[in-house]
Amino acid sequence: MSKVNNPSHYKISHQMAEVIWKSLYELRDKENAKALSKLMINQGCQEIEVEDMSLILAFWKDYMEDHNLLFLSLEEMDFH
């Protein structure tokens, strides 16, 4: 069997990453959508070009929660 030598990383445009993220989100593939948004943000994404505010919130949700900028669940919030 021959060994496949695929690249470990791919370079894609910001617009392509947005299209992929939106598709993953709409397919309800939360884990991959979350991983892609985190990767995009860590690489410097400052905004996504969508008009639906719920998609913008979904894209940034984990980042905002991780940085204590947003609390969407009372169960996760510490009231002490």
Side-chain angles (χ1 to χ4, degrees):
M1 183 179 275
S2 67
K3 183 178 177 178
V4 177
N5 197 16
N6 287 327
S8 61
H9 295 83
Y10 293 93
K11 292 181 181 181
I12 61 173
S13 70
H14 172 77
Q15 290 79 17
M16 178 63 73
E18 279 186 12
V19 168
I20 295 168
W21 177 83
K22 186 177 177 186
S23 297
L24 291 168
Y25 182 79
E26 289 173 348
L27 290 170
R28 298 182 182 188
D29 186 346
K30 292 181 181 182
E31 294 209 18
N32 284 314
K34 180 179 179 176
L36 182 54
S37 65
K38 182 176 183 176
L39 180 69
M40 291 170 69
I41 292 166
N42 287 342
Q43 290 185 19
C45 178
Q46 296 179 7
E47 67 179 343
I48 57 172
E49 297 178 30
V50 295
E51 296 197 17
D52 183 343
M53 291 301 291
S54 66
L55 287 177
I56 294 170
L57 177 60
F59 182 86
W60 290 99
K61 176 186 168 289
D62 293 321
Y63 174 85
M64 291 188 294
E65 287 180 337
D66 290 347
H67 290 85
N68 295 320
L69 301 170
L70 176 71
F71 299 98
L72 294 178
S73 172
L74 291 177
E75 295 172 4
E76 296 176 14
M77 195 169 172
D78 183 9
F79 287 104
H80 300 284

